[in-house]
Amino acid sequence: MTTGLVILLIVLILSQGLFSIVQVKYYQSFIKKITTEQAGTEYEFYTEVVKGKVLRTIVAVVVDRDGRVIQCYICKGLTIFARFKEEQTYKGAQLVNYRTAAAEKRAPQVEKALSKIYTRKLEAVT
């Protein structure tokens, strides 16, 4: 019985390592795709991770100099199965509108991420 448990643990650990590698490769290829598309433009690209109680949400946004969202991508769910999806809801929104969302407990995770991105963009200017 103990040998079976040890084998199961080894398989689980190896699977987790393999799934992590797959997820990192996907993330890197997504980031490379977006940065290649935006190369040579005046737009800026930011990513932010917001941790929930169980799952985490990754938000990637392309913004113009004034802080207006040009593109917004959201990745949430279990790591290996999660993929970035473009979210049209935030397209054209101003980051400044989300400046206090990070402090609000009931704010959606995407808006908390946009608040953190706004803060980072503001720090980059000063």
Side-chain angles (χ1 to χ4, degrees):
M1 183 77 161
T2 355
T3 307
L5 185 60
V6 169
I7 291 173
L8 179 64
L9 287 174
I10 290 172
V11 169
L12 288 174
I13 290 170
L14 291 175
S15 297
Q16 181 184 12
L18 178 64
F19 289 149
S20 295
I21 291 170
V22 169
Q23 184 64 21
V24 167
K25 292 287 186 188
Y26 168 73
Y27 182 80
Q28 288 175 337
S29 68
F30 172 78
I31 299 299
K32 184 176 182 179
K33 175 183 162 255
I34 298 300
T35 53
T36 302
E37 286 175 2
Q38 301 304 328
T41 67
E42 73 275 2
Y43 299 140
E44 300 169 355
F45 180 66
Y46 295 94
T47 60
E48 187 64 49
V49 178
V50 179
K51 296 178 184 176
K53 292 185 181 195
V54 177
L55 303 174
R56 68 180 75 197
T57 301
I58 304 171
V59 176
V61 293
V62 177
V63 296
D64 64 10
R65 290 183 185 167
D66 299 324
R68 187 172 53 92
V69 176
I70 304 300
Q71 292 175 312
C72 179
Y73 298 92
I74 300 170
C75 178
K76 60 182 170 182
L78 298 173
T79 53
I80 188 63
F81 305 111
R83 295 290 180 247
F84 280 97
K85 294 180 179 104
E86 188 165 8
E87 179 61 56
Q88 297 294 328
T89 307
Y90 299 99
K91 191 172 186 176
Q94 292 288 333
L95 287 178
V96 69
N97 296 339
Y98 303 101
R99 69 179 172 267
T100 59
E104 297 175 20
K105 290 189 178 210
R106 299 219 183 260
Q109 287 184 324
V110 175
E111 292 181 12
K112 289 179 181 181
L114 292 173
S115 173
K116 291 180 180 182
I117 291 169
Y118 170 74
T119 303
R120 283 196 358 234
K121 182 171 175 44
L122 193 62
E123 288 173 354
V125 173
T126 57

